[in-house]
Amino acid sequence: MTEKHLSPLTRLLRSSPAVGAMVLILWLVTVPLFGISAQTLPALPDVLLSGFNIWGDLLDSTIYTLTETVFGFIAGAVIGISSGLLFWWSKKAEQMLLPIFVALQTVPIIAFGAIVVIWFGNGMVSKVVIALYLTFFPVAVNTARGLDRTDPELLKLLRSFGASKFRIFRTVSLPTALSSIMTGLKIGIQLSLVGALVGEWFGDTRGLGTLLLQSLYFEDTERVWLLILLLGLIGQILFVLLSRIEKRYIWWK
């Protein structure tokens, strides 16, 4: 059954806000009902109160981390799409560079992050670079693979009419690849947020990653769960924004 044939109630229950609301209601009811300790899972009102008590710091940290995430994502997307285009245009470039990209991705992010902080200092630039590092690879691979999915029979037909490689790319290959590129971007935006958080663990004084590290240090369980909720919400919003863009502008998929 397709999405358009589902009833309004079914579509509502499948939506992300509805699922999130059901999880929160379950949390609200389960903790007092089963007497779960605050160390394991604090009550939802206590978690929300923890956020209210530091709403100023929370807002500043959210803006700071979001800025790192967005800039890292944009830079990673540009490099990733450019690399994917290069791999599609020149198989020699793919054979030379793709193994290097794969090798870079095997380096643990903690180790790579330490080097980046040494190179670029402890400010926002290093966090953007770490976010970029995690973003560009899935975007590059999905771009290249999406471009390779063009129907070979259609390519033969266009070439028989004398179409140039650029014209084939503009009219057929790119529209075919856009869905795959958007998949890479949706993966990349989540990884960009992870990169920004990990970067903040290397000694920054602002950001949600720093707040999370401080909460772990002081064993503030309510604050930890608050940040988990907030980060999950941010990740979901970023994903939904890209999904809306995909649905609006890549309707033919």
Side-chain angles (χ1 to χ4, degrees):
M1 182 179 291
T2 60
E3 185 72 19
K4 66 180 180 180
H5 293 111
L6 296 174
S7 67
L9 178 59
T10 302
R11 286 199 296 268
L12 176 63
L13 292 176
R14 286 188 175 187
S15 66
S16 298
V19 173
M22 287 188 287
V23 170
L24 292 179
I25 293 172
L26 184 63
W27 184 353
L28 184 65
V29 172
T30 301
V31 171
L33 182 64
F34 293 99
I36 301 174
S37 68
Q39 190 68 23
T40 302
L41 182 64
L44 182 58
D46 294 337
V47 172
L48 298 179
L49 180 62
S50 173
F52 179 77
N53 291 335
I54 60 162
W55 71 269
D57 290 339
L58 205 59
L59 178 61
D60 177 73
S61 296
T62 299
I63 294 172
Y64 187 77
T65 299
L66 265 178
T67 302
E68 298 167 342
T69 300
V70 171
F71 278 108
F73 170 72
I74 292 173
V78 170
I79 295 175
I81 292 174
S82 301
S83 300
L85 290 173
L86 177 62
F87 294 162
W88 174 77
W89 197 270
S90 171
K91 293 305 176 184
K92 286 186 178 180
E94 181 178 12
Q95 292 169 1
M96 291 174 57
L97 296 177
L98 187 58
I100 297 175
F101 286 2
V102 172
L104 285 173
Q105 293 299 305
T106 63
V107 178
I109 184 59
I110 296 296
F112 179 79
I115 293 297
V116 170
V117 170
I118 291 173
W119 286 347
F120 296 99
N122 213 19
M124 183 177 288
V125 174
S126 60
K127 283 66 177 178
V128 170
V129 172
I130 296 172
L132 179 162
Y133 166 77
L134 290 180
T135 300
F136 87 93
F137 184 74
V139 176
V141 170
N142 277 276
T143 299
R145 296 298 170 259
L147 290 168
D148 285 336
R149 285 168 50 194
T150 308
D151 186 350
E153 296 301 321
L154 181 57
L155 291 177
K156 290 179 183 178
L157 177 63
L158 291 170
R159 287 167 185 156
S160 69
F161 283 103
S164 65
K165 190 168 186 178
F166 178 75
R167 186 174 180 83
I168 293 173
F169 164 76
R170 182 173 59 85
T171 59
V172 179
S173 297
L174 182 59
T176 301
L178 281 177
S179 179
S180 181
I181 293 172
M182 285 303 302
T183 298
L185 292 175
K186 287 188 286 187
I187 295 171
I189 193 66
Q190 306 295 321
L191 294 175
S192 182
L193 178 59
V194 172
L197 291 173
V198 171
E200 290 168 358
W201 291 350
F202 287 96
D204 207 329
T205 57
R206 297 173 66 190
L208 295 175
T210 301
L211 280 180
L212 181 59
L213 202 62
Q214 292 171 350
S215 302
L216 288 171
Y217 180 79
F218 290 107
E219 297 184 359
D220 190 339
T221 311
E222 287 85 2
R223 187 78 51 82
V224 170
W225 279 102
L226 171 71
L227 292 167
I228 290 173
L229 282 176
L230 180 58
L231 289 168
L233 177 62
I234 292 172
Q236 185 66 28
I237 290 172
L238 294 173
F239 184 88
V240 168
L241 284 175
L242 287 178
S243 297
R244 292 290 176 85
I245 293 172
E246 179 183 23
K247 187 175 182 180
R248 174 67 178 83
Y249 294 103
I250 313 179
W251 48 268
W252 61 86
K253 74 167 187 173

